[in-house]
Amino acid sequence: MADFDLVLKGTVVLADRIVEGGHVVVRDGKVVHVGQGVMPAARERHDLSGALILPGAIDAQVHSLSQKNQEDFLWSTRSAAAGGVTTIVDMPYDEGNLVSSAEAVKRKVDHASPQARVDFALYGTVDPEEGPARIGEMVEAGVAAFKFSTFGTDPKRFPRIPAALLEDCFRAIAPTGLTAGVHNEDDEAVRAAIAKVKAAGITDYRAHGLSRPPLTELLASNQIYETGAQTGCPAHVVHCSLGRGYEIASAYRAQGFRATIECCIHYLTLDEENDVARLGGKAKINPPIRPRAEVEKLWRHVAEGNVTLVSTDHVSWSEDRKTNPDMLANASGVPGLEVMVPLFVKGALERGIPLTRAAELMTLNPARHFRLDHVKGALEVGKDADITVLTPEPYTYDAAESGHNVVGWSPYQGIRLPWRVSATWLRGKLAFDGKDVLAEPGTGAFVRPLPTLVCAGAR
């Protein structure tokens, strides 16, 4: 009788090497061997010659509940499974429920668990009126990191955290070993720029970029990293659209500080002069999509190792909230879970960047960043058998046609992708077969960091 449950053979893409003609062996939902040569016997065996076998992606930034009665975990995790994403990290800014207490964390876990088709971790945040008082209880409740904003989108759901309060929060988080992630736009500078745009009467696609020029982002990034440097707290910029931002993060790391930085897939794919001009509100994202020259700078930073994570900042707004002819009146954010992995692979191959970066930036580094690497992050012995298979089947992306998205629009609509996600395994079970999401609601589990004392000693 076979000792193993599953064996997959193909080109195995790891964070440190590519194993041609390799295989991944699974038993009881865990990876037990990665090797080359003859496939061992197993209850289920797949020779996937020509396919890429990657560790399942971890999307570090998902907003499942930003719009009430819209997406929810039922749909966000369905899109994730179809996109080769086996774990999502959900943001704490839920409409009607700021995740800022242990009770709120528990409420969200209880809400998500019966719906989730892939695994999920959670961010926590603070209510500005309470300050950092509940940070400790949220750590105990299992949050994987904390999220704040230097810009206030909404005083209740997405509040601005002033500089002094941000420092207090960082000081409270520092002993836990978790990371403080921050939305990096300077509130005062953005509001001044918005006022100028409105006074000039600019309402078309140009309005968004003009209302958030590069300096508004860079001022905030410097504040975030210096606050981390002064408090000893790991500081993380959750989305950077500018090459200069990665240079700033790199400089802080060179000085010995824990300064990480995240690039969203839209900043590596879309540009202002072509895509924003064409899509209008459907490409409104904070910080904004930048010109093509910046896109290529970001890819250079990917190649040079200056990017820590790649994520989606996924949110599926209903179409009526993304089609206002007044650019600034649209909601900010776009869906991307279903295509992050194929988009990154396409962009990397076009620029001669090794695919090891895909395993590093979308799986290994996120697992380490959120202290989930005791179970996630790599095709290594003892880790969860979360696996993504891509096959060389060129196709044109159509968000509505796939049936795995709560909305039928996407800023990536019509992009030609050379590799298709043809299978996703979650803990050794087939979650997506290339056409249908097989993972039922409730398949996904809440994953949390190891206890605080263990985390605090990890680097």
Side-chain angles (χ1 to χ4, degrees), residues 10-13 48 50-54 345 349 355 388-392 419:
T11 300
V12 181
V13 180
L48 306 170
L52 302 174
I53 300 173
L54 294 94
V345 167
L349 291 174
L355 290 183
T388 300
V389 175
L390 282 81
T391 49
W419 290 81

Side-chain angles (χ1 to χ4, degrees), residues 92-146:
Y93 302 114
D94 304 337
E95 190 171 34
N97 179 36
L98 193 67
V99 182
S100 56
S101 68
E103 180 185 356
V105 174
K106 182 181 184 302
R107 187 163 57 242
K108 188 164 183 175
V109 172
D110 291 345
H111 173 86
S113 294
Q115 297 188 41
R117 302 170 192 268
V118 301
D119 291 347
F120 65 96
L122 297 179
Y123 264 102
T125 189
V126 298
D127 183 329
E129 295 180 4
E130 289 186 332
R134 295 184 179 275
I135 281 174
E137 68 180 60
M138 284 186 280
V139 174
E140 291 298 317
V143 298
F146 288 89

Side-chain angles (χ1 to χ4, degrees), residues 261-341:
I261 190 163
E262 192 167 331
C263 187
C264 299
I265 193 65
H266 41 260
Y267 299 130
L268 293 170
T269 305
L270 308 174
D271 66 57
E272 183 181 39
E273 61 267 40
N274 295 297
D275 301 299
V276 183
R278 173 175 55 87
L279 294 166
K282 288 184 177 179
K284 182 173 181 274
I285 302 164
N286 297 333
I289 301 297
R290 304 295 183 182
R292 176 54 52 174
E294 286 292 341
V295 176
E296 297 308 322
K297 284 181 185 177
L298 301 193
W299 276 109
R300 286 197 291 276
H301 283 291
V302 167
E304 292 166 7
N306 294 329
V307 178
T308 312
L309 315 174
V310 169
S311 68
T312 61
D313 201 2
H314 170 98
V315 57
S316 291
W317 297 111
S318 55
E319 201 161 4
D320 61 298
R321 297 185 69 169
K322 296 292 286 181
T323 51
N324 195 310
D326 180 353
M327 185 67 171
L328 297 185
N330 291 285
S332 296
V334 298
L337 272 163
E338 192 179 30
V339 282
M340 174 179 69
V341 175

Side-chain angles (χ1 to χ4, degrees), residues 12-329:
V12 181
V13 180
L14 307 174
D16 61 347
R17 67 193 187 281
I18 293 177
V19 185
E20 300 285 354
H23 55 252
V24 179
V25 184
V26 177
R27 181 171 54 211
D28 297 330
K30 301 287 185 179
V31 175
V32 293
H33 181 66
V34 176
Q36 282 180 300
V38 178
M39 296 168 65
R43 280 177 279 277
E44 185 178 351
R45 300 164 82 241
H46 298 279
D47 189 340
L48 306 170
S49 298
L52 302 174
I53 300 173
L54 294 94
I58 299 172
D59 192 339
Q61 196 168 175
V62 175
H63 297 259
S64 299
L65 297 168
S66 283
Q67 184 177 346
K68 273 189 176 179
N69 304 315
Q70 173 66 7
E71 183 165 38
D72 219 326
F73 283 83
L74 194 67
W75 280 99
S76 65
T77 58
R78 179 172 174 171
S79 295
V85 175
T86 50
T87 304
I88 66 170
V89 186
D90 211 72
M91 294 290 105
Y93 302 114
D94 304 337
E95 190 171 34
N97 179 36
L98 193 67
V99 182
S100 56
S101 68
E103 180 185 356
V105 174
K106 182 181 184 302
R107 187 163 57 242
K108 188 164 183 175
V109 172
D110 291 345
H111 173 86
S113 294
Q115 297 188 41
R117 302 170 192 268
V118 301
D119 291 347
F120 65 96
L122 297 179
Y123 264 102
T125 189
V126 298
D127 183 329
E129 295 180 4
E130 289 186 332
R134 295 184 179 275
I135 281 174
E137 68 180 60
M138 284 186 280
V139 174
E140 291 298 317
V143 298
F146 288 89
K147 170 78 180 292
F148 311 107
S149 181
T150 53
F151 177 79
T153 299
D154 181 276
K156 291 294 183 185
R157 188 185 73 83
F158 201 106
R160 172 182 177 250
I161 305 300
L165 177 53
L166 190 69
E167 179 186 353
D168 290 344
C169 291
F170 273 45
R171 289 194 186 280
I173 295 166
T176 74
L178 297 184
T179 298
V182 188
H183 179 111
N184 49 310
E185 293 183 299
D186 183 89
D187 194 271
E188 182 181 9
V190 170
R191 295 192 189 285
I194 289 173
K196 286 182 181 179
V197 171
K198 289 184 175 180
I202 301 171
T203 60
D204 64 11
Y205 80 92
R206 298 170 298 155
H208 191 48
L210 291 171
S211 73
R212 285 168 148 84
L215 187 58
T216 63
E217 188 177 334
L218 299 174
L219 286 172
S221 295
N222 276 289
Q223 177 196 346
I224 294 159
Y225 289 134
E226 194 57 33
T227 303
Q230 294 298 317
T231 60
C233 181
H236 180 64
V237 165
V238 298
H239 37 41
C240 181
S241 68
L242 300 160
R244 173 66 180 148
Y246 296 88
E247 294 168 5
I248 292 169
S250 180
Y252 273 90
R253 288 196 299 275
Q255 295 169 47
F257 300 112
R258 288 176 289 180
T260 51
I261 190 163
E262 192 167 331
C263 187
C264 299
I265 193 65
H266 41 260
Y267 299 130
L268 293 170
T269 305
L270 308 174
D271 66 57
E272 183 181 39
E273 61 267 40
N274 295 297
D275 301 299
V276 183
R278 173 175 55 87
L279 294 166
K282 288 184 177 179
K284 182 173 181 274
I285 302 164
N286 297 333
I289 301 297
R290 304 295 183 182
R292 176 54 52 174
E294 286 292 341
V295 176
E296 297 308 322
K297 284 181 185 177
L298 301 193
W299 276 109
R300 286 197 291 276
H301 283 291
V302 167
E304 292 166 7
N306 294 329
V307 178
T308 312
L309 315 174
V310 169
S311 68
T312 61
D313 201 2
H314 170 98
V315 57
S316 291
W317 297 111
S318 55
E319 201 161 4
D320 61 298
R321 297 185 69 169
K322 296 292 286 181
T323 51
N324 195 310
D326 180 353
M327 185 67 171
L328 297 185

